Amino acid sequence: YEVSRSLAACQGTILLVDAAQGIQAQTVANFYLAFGEGLDVIPILNKVDLPTAEPERAAQQIESAFEIDSSNILQISAKSGLGVDQVLPAIIKKTAPPQGSADKPFKALLFDTWYDTYVGVVCLMAIKDGSIKRGDRIVSSHSGTRYEVAEVGIMYPEQTPTTQLQVGQVGYIVCNMKSIAEAHVGDTFFREKCPVEALPGFVPAKSMVFAGVFPIDAGEFDSLNESIQKLTLNDSSVSVHKETSAALGQGWRLGFLGTLHMDVFRQRLEEEYDANVLITSPTVPYQIKYTNGVTKFIRTPADFPDAATMQDFVESTMEPYVSATLIFPEKYLGNMLELCTTHRGEIQNHTFIDETRVMLKCQLPMAEIVTDFFDKLKSKSQGFASFDYEESGYQSSDLVKME
């Protein structure tokens, strides 16, 4: 999600591959995100001066996996400076200029936000047409809310005010937004009384992993509530709902994009706000389709229908699946196939990206990867396997509630 919204504001991207390690699962996922956006991809091999570097093998992997001519791959070392002087000219030469017109009405894509204590929400936008300056009034296509622009500028690398932002530029806009909930990433903004067709945007973040968060000491409930509110000011992808447990008392059910997102959020609570929290085992949302046509999302075991209701009124039960990509040395192929099948995975295909490395693609239930799947992956591959996944929708599944 973080990568996709950054790519939405770009015309080109650098595909950076470690010459010693070769392509990883995340490399594959991010390449296809950029390819789907129609961006110019500039392949670069880094760390070519390491004793363990195999630039020819890594270049062959890139050519095999992405159909990129290996003769176009730059070889550099960021540490020693070898070949670095070729990077910027390559970006200028190979990246297409922004498509837009300074004469058309102002149109901008909102792709990132953060909260500033003094000025409120700061919006990072890519200007697609026209220009914007302080004092202009702009409108959100999503909500129809009007705002007056108080400041515009560019990241250089910190916030640097400018007189205006023009077509093709990426910059920040301060427009007196009070809550980050008002800023919808992927929204189109236009000048008041000059409406434009909204940009396609991209798929908004959906919470796919849910966990209960409770204070260890009930007296810390209010301070923990304040800490969660402050953290979610800068992370609108976290969903927050209050929850009461008979055993743990008052707390919250938080929704995250994945298990890594959940771990980072927990660590920030503990380190930045000195909070002592208890987090329950992560769960995923299930779908229950009733015989009357109603579909209901189930986020906690307590909401799951009882046996009588399941028998008489439920037509089907569904759970979320992911499309997973694994890359690993050939000798671990048997272990990886076994790992996926024992976690209810459906193998789609596996291909050799060079003489020694395999790329395996499969469908896995989301519930199978939110606990110990990654640990088992590293254990069975002695740390050599890499793993990445993306949502692939809901599929019918035989689900029951364990009492």
Side-chain angles (χ1 to χ4, degrees), residues 122-333:
V122 181
C123 301
L124 203 56
M125 297 192 192
I127 314 301
K128 299 297 185 181
D129 286 312
S131 61
I132 190 76
K133 63 183 185 299
R134 180 178 178 177
D136 288 346
R137 292 185 63 82
I138 57 175
V139 184
S140 160
S141 293
H142 179 84
S143 65
T145 309
R146 289 164 169 75
Y147 303 95
E148 183 173 341
V149 177
E151 182 184 320
V152 299
I154 57 173
M155 306 303 292
Y156 190 68
E158 303 299 325
Q159 289 178 221
T160 306
T162 59
T163 54
Q164 65 175 354
L165 291 175
Q166 297 179 332
V167 58
Q169 286 189 300
V170 170
Y172 71 89
I173 295 177
V174 176
C175 54
N176 299 316
M177 277 192 194
K178 301 303 180 188
S179 167
I180 208 161
E182 296 179 53
H184 298 270
V185 172
D187 194 5
T188 302
F189 281 79
F190 58 88
R191 187 175 275 105
E192 190 176 35
K193 299 181 181 177
C194 298
V196 297
E197 185 178 349
L199 294 160
F202 45 92
V203 179
K206 289 190 297 184
S207 298
M208 292 304 295
V209 174
F210 292 83
V213 176
F214 299 87
I216 292 178
D217 182 354
E220 297 178 353
F221 178 85
D222 291 334
S223 63
L224 181 56
N225 185 37
E226 186 179 341
S227 300
I228 290 174
Q229 287 179 354
K230 286 180 179 178
L231 267 184
T232 52
L233 277 175
N234 281 326
D235 192 352
S236 57
S237 59
V238 178
S239 64
V240 182
H241 302 281
K242 287 194 175 179
E243 182 178 70
T244 302
S245 164
L248 301 172
Q250 283 189 311
W252 300 264
R253 177 149 291 267
L254 304 184
F256 304 96
L257 301 179
T259 50
L260 177 62
H261 188 202
M262 180 183 73
D263 290 340
V264 170
F265 192 90
R266 175 184 57 78
Q267 287 178 2
R268 291 189 65 188
L269 271 179
E270 293 174 349
E271 294 174 8
E272 295 179 23
Y273 297 96
D274 200 27
N276 295 312
V277 296
L278 178 67
I279 296 188
T280 63
S281 180
T283 60
V284 299
Y286 298 95
Q287 274 189 13
I288 305 292
K289 188 175 181 180
Y290 291 91
T291 51
N292 62 1
V294 174
T295 300
K296 183 180 178 183
F297 280 92
I298 305 297
R299 293 183 173 84
T300 65
D303 296 336
F304 203 85
D306 57 34
T309 304
M310 288 289 293
Q311 183 175 349
D312 298 335
F313 301 105
V314 172
E315 181 181 318
S316 63
T317 55
M318 293 181 284
E319 65 176 324
Y321 270 69
V322 298
S323 296
T325 302
L326 294 80
I327 295 180
F328 46 85
E330 177 191 6
K331 65 179 180 178
Y332 301 112
L333 178 59

Side-chain angles (χ1 to χ4, degrees), residues 334-354:
N335 287 350
M336 295 298 101
L337 290 172
E338 180 189 2
L339 176 68
C340 292
T341 51
T342 54
H343 283 77
R344 298 190 288 139
E346 179 183 327
I347 307 299
Q348 293 179 310
N349 61 67
H350 66 274
T351 55
F352 284 81
I353 58 176
D354 64 13

